[in-house]
Amino acid sequence: MAEKLDTSPEEEAIKDEAREFMTGLVGSGAGDQTNDSAGAPTADGADIIKAWKSKYSAAPEDTTMEDFWSLYDPYLTSIWKMVYDEADSNENLKETIGFVEDLLAQPGMTQLKKDHDCWCVVHTLENLGIEGVWFFNGPNPVKLFAANEDTSWYTFTQLGPEAIDPVKTAVANIMMPIEGKLSGKVVKDTKVFC
């Protein structure tokens, strides 16, 4: 028998407080800069994001990771892994795919896409987990957090900033899952915000 989730007002208040705390940490600018010269999104960073999106959307199956790394600049862009925090409470695949669709369809996302501030590949897994990789113009996802409050349901972890082999492997595994699996789980759906 499935364990009943605690949705009491007290439990929800604790979750809300934790989300607010985490948003404050990332949005504070304290410790989240990749280096002193990294700052707000730039026109050069937008050009990199635009080039990445163009390469991926033209032929994702033919895109190689070398195409991405040849453009990557840790002073202008950043790469973040995203994992859904509440996967244990998901009840079915259709609903979980809907969570991803809702995340990417929030009203604030339109301007981020227009300004070339980010793009992502997000997978829904057989265990109803959600994992993705986000590419940002700038050192962090703060603009995304400000534009989309649904991001509070996810944990973002920076990959890099230096493009060393373990970082390249982690990014490649999420962008192009081997044999249709990510983290040992079958990918059931993929959404791209490009």
Side-chain angles (χ1 to χ4, degrees), residues 1-2 9 30 45 49 77 80-81 85 98-99 112-113 116-117 120-121 134 137 149-150 174 188:
M1 182 157 88
I49 297 296
T77 57
W80 295 72
K81 178 180 178 180
D85 294 334
F99 293 155
L112 293 175
K113 184 185 280 190
H116 303 290
D117 283 327
C120 68
V121 177
W134 288 75
N137 172 9
E149 67 183 29
D150 282 2
I174 299 171
K188 294 302 226 174

Side-chain angles (χ1 to χ4, degrees), residues 79-83 130-136 141 154-159 170-171 174 182-183:
I79 304 171
W80 295 72
K81 178 180 178 180
M82 177 194 80
V83 177
I130 300 169
E131 292 187 32
V133 63
W134 288 75
F135 302 87
F136 291 98
Y154 299 83
T155 296
F156 286 77
T157 308
Q158 186 172 15
L159 299 174
V171 172
I174 299 171
L182 179 61
S183 302

Side-chain angles (χ1 to χ4, degrees), residues 24-33 140 142:
L25 279 180
V26 174
S28 71
D32 62 359
Q33 298 292 322
N140 57 49
V142 170

Side-chain angles (χ1 to χ4, degrees), residues 53 56-57 60 80 82 93-106 109 113 118-125 129-135 154 174-177 182 186-194:
K53 292 186 329 185
Y56 188 84
S57 62
W80 295 72
M82 177 194 80
L93 182 60
K94 184 177 180 179
E95 176 184 67
T96 305
I97 292 169
F99 293 155
V100 175
E101 291 170 345
D102 290 346
L103 173 74
L104 301 178
Q106 292 296 309
M109 299 299 286
K113 184 185 280 190
C118 66
W119 77 278
C120 68
V121 177
V122 181
H123 304 288
T124 303
L125 308 177
I130 300 169
E131 292 187 32
V133 63
W134 288 75
F135 302 87
Y154 299 83
I174 299 171
M175 281 189 64
M176 300 171 190
L182 179 61
V186 174
V187 174
K188 294 302 226 174
D189 188 69
T190 299
K191 301 288 184 229
V192 178
F193 179 78
C194 228

